[in-house]
Amino acid sequence: MDGLIVQLRGAPAHSDRSRAQALAAPASGQRLDGEARRWQQVLAAAPQPAGAPGLQPQAVGSAAYLLRTGQALTAAQADEWAARLRAQPDVAWVAANVREPRLQATTPDDPMFASGGHNQWWLKPASGGDQMPLAARLRGVAGFAQAWQRSTGAPALAAARVAVLDTGITPHPELAGHLLPGHDFVTDVAAANDGDGRDADPSDPGDWIDEADRARSAFRDCEAARSSWHGTMTAGMLAAGTHNATGVAAIHWDGRVLPVRVAGKCGAAVADIIDGMRWAAGLPVPGVPANPHPARIISLSFGGPGACNPAYQQAVDELRAVGALLVAAGGNGHGALTRPANCPGVLGVVALNRDGFKTTYSNFGPQAAIATVGGDPTDGAWGPVLSDGGLLSIYNDGAAGPGQGGYAYLFGSSFAAPGVAGTLSLMLSVHPSMTVAQLEAGLRASARPHVQSALIGACSDANPGRCVCSTATCGAGILDADGALAHAQALAAGREPPRTSAVAAQLDSAELRQAVALGADRAANVVAPPAAPVEPVADGGGNQDGGSGGSGGGGGAISAAPLAALAWAVSLLQAARRLRRRHPG
């Protein structure tokens, strides 16, 4: 602190700059004018801090003085001196002479964010009304651009790392400098597809399935598909290089991702997911070196059908005990939430359309914690009318092995989950000591109410496609990144967090009426009768599983068919091809 700027009440404009020297040390016998005498009385009653010798006044502005001492003041000294000066009747005001930092931009210059039209609408401010064009309606977004406008500014926030449990990572220019040393937890060598089992290299060699794979017993139940590069896409949403005049922006301008590979060909083994969860949080895993960069936020985009099993629940409880929080995609089967998103203590995420209602594919249910946009494709009867085009982020164009880094539009609850994980990362950036309970409470308390409409039915098994959410089906509300950040800032400052003042948006657009006229978006779900109770048995991965539904695959792996997290290959790849024509590379 380099002194205080002080002005007296009714102070005359500066006319004699020599007065400042007289205030500091009047010469013997020197007669002071009335203004100088006033200053001498103020300074006598409110002297500079002890140990800060040599008052050095300097005329500033039209009538104020900068009072500097012979050494820099600590914040405590400056506050104490300012309080004494403000207590003097002759003092009009006091301002600290601090160094103002260079202002950081709060709107990134990445061309795919800054340009108009479709592009990165999922990062833009929440806005829009029924009379606006469909592309301008953003009532379901988290409002990350609004969070960036907070006084600290996104670039000034220290990065709070996020662990991404996924297919691993591929090189991409936008991820340079944003990745921490991760680990590969895929045990089965055939599924790992990299020539070995677990190792310290989280690189994604590709998870494609071709007819040669399907001829093997281990993969015969898997669907043929090109590589998903799912971990790379998720990492890009969280931490792609931002405000670098290149490509896309990300949730956290200085984000750091800890890549933890748990999935290979045909999905992820439960045992590998659990060990990956524990290692990501800094917990010990036999045979694996300790994680030097534990993450408090863990994003998981894999899950299987059935109730939460004891293996998952024990791991979730262990994570919470060390202050780590698991964010899990709710699934894409327009039915009940998958596990572990349905486990107590996990933040299960539902995917919304850009206008705020549930996407045609997203799972839903009472275990959901919160909802945010996940990209709504042209699937379902209403898709051609209400599709939002997907979430634009980074991609890899390799059909099998890694190719070139590019960009694509993404769809799935697995791309809604990073929105929640990224918001938690921003909260920890401004308040690193927030507890798991405080993080959860902040997300819920700041969430905007779910949109309402007299045209769309409520989400249920009878109406599982595009539908209106409630707290009973899609969690506390619509993710509000700005509100969550304000909540964290208030707690960090010791203030009562603000309460959301948002009211539920009422949807009644021309497009919605057109969609409703087409009939049901999806047929009703076929709900199986409750299964008879059975004793828990060890699954192929050695975990006790008392839930319904098989994990499929072998060795406890989740098969590709019920896998609830990966993006839909057809929708994504069609979008990727279109985008690559516009943005080569």
Side-chain angles (χ1 to χ4, degrees):
M1 185 79 68
D2 194 17
L4 301 173
I5 304 172
V6 185
Q7 183 165 311
L8 300 185
R9 298 183 188 279
H14 293 306
S15 58
D16 182 3
R17 295 284 172 159
S18 65
R19 179 181 294 144
Q21 285 72 32
L23 298 182
S28 178
Q30 178 182 2
R31 294 187 61 184
L32 302 178
D33 61 22
E35 189 66 13
R37 285 196 298 273
R38 278 212 301 163
W39 268 109
Q40 288 288 299
Q41 292 169 355
V42 166
L43 294 175
Q48 66 262 37
L55 183 65
Q56 301 169 13
Q58 172 187 330
V60 172
S62 61
Y65 284 93
L66 168 61
L67 305 183
R68 305 171 70 185
T69 64
Q71 65 186 41
L73 301 177
T74 66
Q77 287 176 321
D79 289 345
E80 181 182 354
W81 192 17
R84 289 200 298 265
L85 286 165
R86 290 190 183 101
Q88 304 308 309
D90 269 342
V91 172
W93 52 261
V94 179
N97 187 37
V98 296
R99 291 187 180 275
E100 303 285 26
R102 176 174 58 87
L103 292 178
Q104 302 280 1
T106 54
T107 300
D109 61 5
D110 307 81
M112 294 184 194
F113 173 87
S115 60
H118 184 64
N119 289 0
Q120 287 195 288
W121 56 265
W122 62 276
L123 289 170
K124 301 294 176 71
S127 61
D130 289 327
Q131 304 309 313
M132 299 178 70
L134 181 63
R137 299 205 296 267
L138 301 174
R139 290 178 279 197
V141 302
F144 289 107
Q146 291 159 304
W148 297 338
Q149 298 291 334
R150 299 222 142 256
S151 58
T152 50
L157 301 181
R161 65 185 70 99
V162 178
V164 173
L165 272 64
D166 216 298
T167 61
I169 202 77
T170 59
H172 196 290
E174 297 261 36
L175 292 178
H178 294 270
L179 298 176
L180 296 166
H183 203 85
D184 179 0
F185 281 90
V186 181
T187 304
D188 183 80
V189 176
N193 200 31
D194 59 0
D196 59 17
R198 294 185 175 186
D199 56 46
D201 182 6
S203 298
D204 185 353
D207 57 0
W208 78 93
I209 294 288
D210 57 23
E211 292 308 316
D213 289 317
R214 298 189 72 212
R216 303 163 64 183
S217 60
F219 302 133
R220 65 178 167 223
D221 294 329
C222 308
E223 295 180 355
R226 57 184 285 162
S227 290
S228 68
W229 314 117
H230 199 279
T232 297
M233 297 185 292
T234 302
M237 293 184 65
L238 289 162
T242 302
H243 200 54
N244 59 357
T246 302
V248 295
I251 292 169
H252 203 305
W253 288 32
D254 191 30
R256 295 292 184 273
V257 163
L258 179 70
V260 183
R261 187 176 183 233
V262 297
K265 283 178 176 284
C266 210
V270 173
D272 294 345
I273 293 175
I274 289 171
D275 279 354
M277 288 165 53
R278 299 184 79 258
W279 184 85
L283 293 167
V285 176
V288 179
N291 176 9
H293 304 286
R296 293 197 56 204
I297 307 302
I298 299 169
S299 180
L300 175 65
S301 292
F302 285 77
C308 179
N309 65 31
Y312 274 131
Q313 191 62 63
Q314 182 179 31
V316 169
D317 294 343
E318 290 171 334
L319 261 59
R320 294 177 67 91
V322 296
L325 188 55
L326 179 65
V327 179
N332 302 332
H334 51 84
L337 260 65
T338 53
R339 65 181 183 218
N342 59 15
C343 293
V346 176
L347 288 177
V349 183
V350 171
L352 301 177
N353 173 282
R354 65 190 294 159
D355 226 0
F357 48 82
K358 190 186 80 66
T359 59
T360 187
Y361 58 82
S362 183
N363 289 350
F364 57 95
Q367 302 97 337
I370 201 160
T372 190
V373 290
D376 200 7
T378 55
D379 298 54
W382 298 1
V385 180
L386 298 175
S387 170
D388 60 29
L391 313 186
L392 177 59
S393 187
I394 68 173
Y395 185 59
N396 188 289
D397 68 3
Q404 298 298 310
Y407 304 90
Y409 293 107
L410 318 176
F411 303 90
S413 64
S414 47
F415 300 119
V420 177
T423 299
L424 292 166
S425 170
L426 290 173
M427 295 170 74
L428 284 175
S429 294
V430 299
H431 190 6
S433 61
M434 287 186 79
T435 66
V436 165
Q438 287 175 324
L439 288 166
E440 287 180 313
L443 278 184
R444 296 177 190 276
S446 60
R448 304 195 305 275
H450 290 297
V451 300
Q452 300 297 309
S453 177
L455 300 174
I456 315 179
C459 297
S460 67
D461 281 321
N463 186 39
R466 293 175 174 89
C467 54
V468 169
C469 286
S470 70
T471 55
T473 55
C474 303
I478 299 173
L479 176 69
D480 187 332
D482 183 49
L485 193 57
H487 187 101
Q489 288 177 323
L491 287 182
R495 304 191 306 269
E496 182 71 19
R499 295 183 179 275
T500 181
S501 58
V503 296
Q506 301 290 327
L507 308 186
D508 186 9
S509 66
E511 293 89 353
L512 197 54
R513 290 179 175 274
Q514 181 182 351
V516 171
L518 298 173
D521 181 49
R522 283 193 180 276
N525 288 336
V526 177
V527 181
V534 295
E535 290 297 320
V537 295
D539 65 18
N543 299 310
Q544 295 299 312
D545 183 356
S548 63
S551 61
I558 303 165
S559 74
L563 191 64
L566 295 179
W568 297 341
V570 174
S571 298
L572 183 144
L573 294 174
Q574 288 175 345
R577 294 189 187 104
R578 292 195 300 271
L579 185 61
R580 285 200 296 274
R581 285 198 292 269
R582 295 198 298 270
H583 304 286

